[in-house]
Amino acid sequence: MTLTEHAIEARKNAYAPYSKFLVGCALECDDGTIIHGCNVESASYGLTICAERTALVKAISDGKRIFKAIAIAADTDQLTPPCGACRQLIWELCGDIPVLLTNLRGKGEQFHMLELLPSPFGRELLEDSLG
Ligand code: THU
């Protein structure tokens, strides 16, 4: 099963009764483990968590620290990329990894994180602070 197929599988668990916009994510760890994530919405809309952050938080919580690639699946003709908040967390935890986008209609595209988040804010800036 490819990482993209895992993301499509993860999407089946999405809890999105408000937006009805189902998203799945699959995160490949350096030990070969694949972690699934889906979006989880709340009646208090702002508490919603995206599929990508679900997968990242699950992985970190399971002790994973090094990631090889991330795949995201949604059923949109124009492929769904990670939102801004997710881009920041992917950068934090994964650096410049490949990001595979897919829909359910056989369309796929691959990016690297730095294409999606140019000029990122990261830990080296904290270390560089003079204050
Ligand atoms: N969503 C994700 O899970 N990932 C994305 O990359 C874009 C947006 C979710 C959040 C919300 O549950 C729904 O899609 C609509 O924004």
Side-chain angles (χ1 to χ4, degrees), residues 16 19 21 23 39 41 48-52 72 80-83:
S19 74
F21 191 85
V23 186
N39 53 331
E41 298 186 345
T48 292
I49 180 164
C50 293
E52 298 90 325
I72 301 156
T80 298
C83 79

Side-chain angles (χ1 to χ4, degrees), residues 58-80:
K58 279 178 66 183
I60 292 295
S61 183
D62 282 353
K64 310 299 181 192
R65 287 294 183 274
I66 301 171
F67 306 105
K68 288 165 74 174
I70 188 167
I72 301 156
D75 197 19
T76 51
D77 191 35
Q78 186 181 330
L79 297 173
T80 298

